[in-house]
Each structure stands twice: as structure tokens, then as C-alpha cells.
Amino acid sequence: MTPDVLLDLARQALDTEARALHELRARLDGEAGVAFTRAVQAVLASKGRVAVMGMGKSGHVGRKIAATLASTGTPALFVHPAEAHHGDLGMVQPGDVVLAISNSGESEELTGLLPVLKRQGVTLIAMTGKPTSALARHADIVLDSAVAQEACPLNLAPTASTTTQMALGDALAVVLLDARGFKAEDFARSHPGGSLGRKLLTHLRDVMRSGDAVPRVAPEAGFGEVMSEMSRKGLGATAVVDAAGALLGVFTDGDLRRKIEAGTDLRSLNARALMTPQPRTIRDDVLAAEAVALMETHRINTLLVTDATGLLVGAVSTNDLMRAKVI
């Protein structure tokens, strides 16, 4: 098996799966599209959850579909058909929607549950490659996931068929997501441990330095006091505030270098003379991600944080944001 032969086989497999997806899309222009719309409407109308079932490779696909639905605003769970015969069917309640996945539509573990499911009054959606199968005949709605052939050279291993099942499940999830008005903030709430969750749920006040950790000096402070405050607080900058705590300006490591390069006699100046007035600031009630964007836009490493009245309440650095995994 030369590299060329190996790559040719890989291309053939991908071409077969791509054709299956194109054919799946084309069917939505006909009766399959009507069935898909009915499936979406059934899930939206349901007061319960979507219970996804499937055996073998279809079961693995079903687990992923259930997880995608649940993370995009549609309550869902996976119920293993074999375990359902031994008690797990109690997870399915009247008013639920059952999405049963089987390419052949003849899986004994699934078909054996049909009488019980029908008596429970659930809406049964079958996703199958055989519209005349037992599963399809007893379903309320049939989603056609048929493929002309598998990507497997033997036309046996579930490959193209599981790809169409996965894609059809994704299509169902994203249509439901949009129909429910699901937003990025909603997605973040179901992914609090992920990077998107941190970016969309972490507020600046959750990660900023506050109280004594914020470097600040009075406008009359001398150069030595200014440098001492910057060194103690380790932010590479200090705020200059009046007696009421209102922000007047900022003095940074960059300002220090520029003044040294200009030959300025720093020891003769106080904080008011040293500072840059009206520095860039950010409100404490915004998302931490907004601080990241502002710092990247203006190429600064530290931001002073104020409240609605302009009082200095905090400071944040790129290192703080990295530790919080917002960056």
C-alpha cells in the first residue's frame, strides 16, 4: 500500500460521505423537509425533554445529538435502549419527545420499546435510512437519513450513514436554537467551565484588583513616593487620585521611560506633573472580555477601573486576565 493508494482511499471515503450529505440536503426540498419541519415544531411544542435513543454506532451518534441539544437550549438526555428494557425507560415521561435513531429501523432493542412508548403518549420521531422499517411505520414523524452507500469499501461499517445522522441531528439542534432565540450568553451559561463561558460570564469586578491592592497616590506625592507605590503594587503603573478618590491621571512605566529619554529632572516633579491626565479607564460593571478588547486595541497592559461616578475602584492587568483564563 503506497502513500498514493492510501490517500486515494481516504479521498474516496470523504467523497462518499460528502455525496451523502449533499443528497440529504436535497431531500429537504421535498417530503423530508416537511417531516423535518414537523419534528422541529413537535420539540418546540413539547413541555418535556427530548429522549434520544440508539444502539451501536447510532447510539454513539445519539449521545452526541443529545449533548448538542442540551447545550443549545433544548432539554435532552440519552436513554440506552437495552437499559430501557430494564428500568431506564422511567426516564421517559408523558409529554416527552423520543428521537429514536436506527439506520435499519429494525433494531430489536428499539422496536421492542415501541408498544410501551406509544402507550406513554410520547411523540416518536424516527431517524432512519429505511422509511418502510418497523421503526418508521410506528413513528409519528420520520426523518430520512438514508445513504446510497457507506464509505466503507465493504459497504458494511456504518460510516456515511452515521455522518448523515450526525449532520441531521446538528441541523435539528441549530434550527431549534434559532427558533428559541438562544444567544451566546445562554450558551455560555451551559458552558461555565469553557473559554466562552469565562469570556461571557466573567465580569471585570470578579477579576480586578481592589482596595489596597490598587496603586494610588495623591497629586502632591513626590517622585520617590510614586515609584515606591508602583514597586509595591507590581502593576507597572499608579493612579493619581484626589482626596475624594476621583481619578485625575495615571503614571506608568512607559511614561517613566519616555521622561528619562527626554532628560526630564524627575526628582523635582510631583505626581500631578508626572501623570498623564484623563487616562483610559473602564467601568467595573462590564464583562472582563471588554477589558481585554480595550487593552488589545490600545496596546496597554494595565487598565484603571472606575465606578459610575468616576471614582477609582480597581485596576486590572493582562496577567490578571490571563490568570482568570479570560485571555
Side-chain angles (χ1 to χ4, degrees), residues 111-146:
T111 57
L113 294 172
L114 293 176
V116 182
L117 291 173
K118 299 300 284 186
R119 284 198 299 272
Q120 280 189 286
V122 301
T123 298
L124 178 60
I125 302 173
M127 184 185 293
T128 179
K130 302 293 188 294
T132 58
S133 63
L135 178 61
R137 290 197 305 272
H138 290 87
D140 299 297
I141 303 167
V142 178
L143 298 179
D144 185 358
S145 60

Side-chain angles (χ1 to χ4, degrees), residues 62-288:
R63 290 182 187 277
K64 191 272 179 186
I65 292 175
T68 300
L69 288 169
S71 69
T72 53
T74 298
L77 74 162
F78 179 79
V79 180
H80 195 288
E83 298 297 338
H85 282 275
H86 300 280
D88 281 7
L89 194 59
M91 297 179 183
V92 182
Q93 297 297 312
D96 286 347
V97 172
V98 172
L99 174 60
I101 308 172
S102 171
N103 187 44
S104 69
E106 301 294 347
S107 169
E108 292 183 5
E109 293 86 352
L110 275 175
T111 57
L113 294 172
L114 293 176
V116 182
L117 291 173
K118 299 300 284 186
R119 284 198 299 272
Q120 280 189 286
V122 301
T123 298
L124 178 60
I125 302 173
M127 184 185 293
T128 179
K130 302 293 188 294
T132 58
S133 63
L135 178 61
R137 290 197 305 272
H138 290 87
D140 299 297
I141 303 167
V142 178
L143 298 179
D144 185 358
S145 60
V147 297
Q149 69 179 92
E150 298 286 4
C152 165
L154 303 176
N155 198 30
L156 294 175
T159 45
S161 59
T162 50
T163 296
T164 57
Q165 290 171 354
M166 187 81 77
L168 198 53
D170 284 343
L172 185 64
V174 298
V175 170
L176 287 166
L177 175 156
D178 190 71
R180 295 182 189 279
F182 196 79
K183 296 180 171 44
E185 291 79 5
D186 301 310
F187 187 86
R189 275 189 283 275
S190 61
H191 296 76
S195 59
L196 179 62
R198 287 189 291 271
K199 288 180 180 178
L200 293 180
L201 297 179
T202 303
H203 283 79
L204 190 56
R205 64 169 67 96
D206 298 326
V207 298
M208 72 180 190
R209 306 183 189 202
S210 58
D212 291 339
V214 181
R216 68 184 82 200
V217 295
E220 297 79 20
F223 175 70
E225 185 180 345
V226 170
M227 294 306 300
S228 178
E229 181 72 355
M230 290 173 64
S231 298
R232 280 199 307 271
K233 304 300 172 63
L235 270 180
T238 183
V240 181
V241 296
D242 64 17
L247 181 64
L248 302 176
V250 68
F251 184 68
T252 69
D253 284 339
D255 294 328
L256 175 63
R257 289 193 300 271
R258 285 185 287 272
K259 289 186 182 300
I260 290 174
E261 290 170 358
T264 304
D265 182 8
L266 297 172
R267 294 187 180 277
S268 65
L269 302 178
N270 62 18
R272 188 186 296 277
L274 290 166
M275 73 181 189
T276 298
Q278 299 179 329
R280 297 189 188 282
T281 61
I282 193 165
R283 287 272 297 276
D284 63 335
D285 56 355
V286 304
L287 292 171

